[in-house]
Amino acid sequence: MSTGTLLEIVIPVAVVVVLIVLALALVRRRRALRERFGPEYDRTVDGADSRMAAERELSTREKRHDKLDIKPLPDGVRERYTRDWNDVQHEFVDRPEDAVHDADRLVTSLMQARGYPTESYDQQLKDLSVEHGRTLDHYRAAHEIDTLSTGHKATTEQLRGAMVHYRALFDELLIDGGQTRHARA
């Protein structure tokens, strides 16, 4: 077999192999992002111009998150937050709107204590999505009701729902022990 004939066979086979490897890497990356971000993956894909753009956005979030100093809470601090949450829950009986606002502030304080930046709600969502994507819809729903209650437009049942939603993220941030992706790996 001549060298030219051999190259005519080897080059297309090599190109096909490279394309298969690239496709497998893309599928593996997509699966890893889906597992990591949970429902946030689909939400981001739905809001993006393309799946590739959404996946780039999620990868950017991971890189930013990796630079954050997310840390576990000392036992005493965790206990203080638990007491503060119990106080907020008791406040709900007499002052439900105030309790929801206080729950929002407490969750934000807990995020900050763990090392998450808290300047912007949208950035909070992005930063939290990396480790807490499965709980993020709770946070969104609670925040929406908190905003409604600012104008006294939320019903008591909505306010109760907000407390439940805040509690879901609060528990996850508190109980998660501060284990970041690196600590789990």
Side-chain angles (χ1 to χ4, degrees), residues 9 23 38 57 69 73 83 85-86 91 100 130-131 140 172 175:
I9 295 170
E57 163 64 21
D69 184 23
L73 296 174
R83 282 190 309 273
W85 181 263
N86 289 334
E91 176 185 20
V100 168
V130 178
E131 292 290 331
R140 281 188 181 95
E172 190 169 302
I175 295 169

Side-chain angles (χ1 to χ4, degrees), residues 74-158:
D75 290 341
V77 174
R78 222 178 11 260
E79 290 166 8
R80 179 180 55 86
Y81 274 105
T82 300
R83 282 190 309 273
D84 290 349
W85 181 263
N86 289 334
D87 291 345
V88 168
Q89 281 185 304
H90 288 114
E91 176 185 20
F92 185 81
V93 174
D94 294 322
R95 296 186 328 272
E97 283 184 347
D98 291 340
V100 168
H101 298 314
D102 289 345
D104 180 69
R105 283 190 289 274
L106 188 59
V107 167
T108 302
S109 173
L110 179 55
M111 281 186 248
Q112 191 171 31
R114 289 288 312 279
Y116 288 98
T118 57
E119 313 80 56
S120 151
Y121 171 71
D122 290 334
Q123 190 60 53
Q124 287 175 5
L125 290 174
K126 289 177 182 179
D127 291 339
L128 287 170
S129 71
V130 178
E131 292 290 331
H132 305 283
R134 293 180 187 352
T135 313
L136 216 47
D137 281 339
H138 285 288
Y139 187 45
R140 281 188 181 95
H143 185 77
E144 185 178 314
I145 294 166
D146 183 46
T147 302
L148 274 176
S149 74
T150 301
H152 307 292
K153 295 180 181 174
T155 66
T156 303
E157 186 58 27
Q158 287 173 313

